[in-house]
Amino acid sequence: TRDDDCDSDAATTREAPTFVASVAVSPGHDTSKTLSRWPYNEILTQGVKNTFVFQNEALLRSHDNDAVETLLEASSLQEFADAGVTFAGYDDAASYYRDTNPMNVVGDLTTPKLILNAVDDPCCIINNLY
């Protein structure tokens, strides 16, 4: 039977695959300082307010009314991201970026990585990559 052919212990002790290379297109960036570089910052900031705050305002206010006020006062995407960390379970932006910023762990990568990124990318600052 199928059960006789399946070793359940082997399935739970399987090792993670080893990668010999990887590719990143428009890779992770230093999220603590790049969002204010967008050339369309004002338009995009209003767009995220319309999409994420106004459409979910009652729910967000029930969690943290003060944070919603700060989100609505944000004049840039970076201010918006900083103000919204409470909704990700953080008390402050510094803690959030410490735990979630991909640039904090990029030095730990051991697999060779080809990174494709435009020099003038408005979000991912090229200096983050080397």
Side-chain angles (χ1 to χ4, degrees):
T1 67
R2 179 161 170 75
D3 291 336
D4 295 335
D5 295 334
C6 183
D7 183 356
S8 62
D9 290 335
T12 59
T13 60
R14 188 177 303 161
E15 290 186 30
T18 301
F19 295 97
V20 295
S22 62
V23 175
V25 178
S26 190
H29 54 276
D30 188 342
T31 55
S32 70
K33 62 183 176 186
T34 62
L35 295 175
S36 60
R37 294 187 65 234
W38 285 74
Y40 308 107
N41 207 350
E42 186 176 321
I43 294 167
L44 293 173
T45 301
Q46 190 58 49
V48 295
K49 288 178 186 179
N50 291 342
T51 302
F52 299 109
V53 179
F54 294 133
Q55 292 185 24
N56 301 291
E57 191 167 353
L59 176 64
L60 294 171
R61 285 190 184 281
S62 72
H63 178 70
D64 190 334
N65 189 63
D66 292 339
V68 172
E69 289 300 321
T70 306
L71 287 172
L72 294 175
E73 293 170 4
S75 61
S76 71
L77 287 173
Q78 191 67 58
E79 288 179 12
F80 185 90
D82 292 348
V85 299
T86 184
F87 299 109
Y90 288 86
D91 293 328
D92 57 80
S95 298
Y96 174 78
Y97 294 121
R98 180 195 65 232
D99 291 349
T100 64
N101 192 335
M103 297 314 294
N104 292 339
V105 296
V106 72
D108 297 336
L109 294 176
T110 58
T111 301
K113 180 175 284 298
L114 170 65
I115 297 175
L116 302 176
N117 194 89
V119 171
D120 61 349
D121 186 309
C123 186
C124 185
I125 299 171
I126 194 68
N127 291 341
N128 284 343
L129 303 177
Y130 54 87

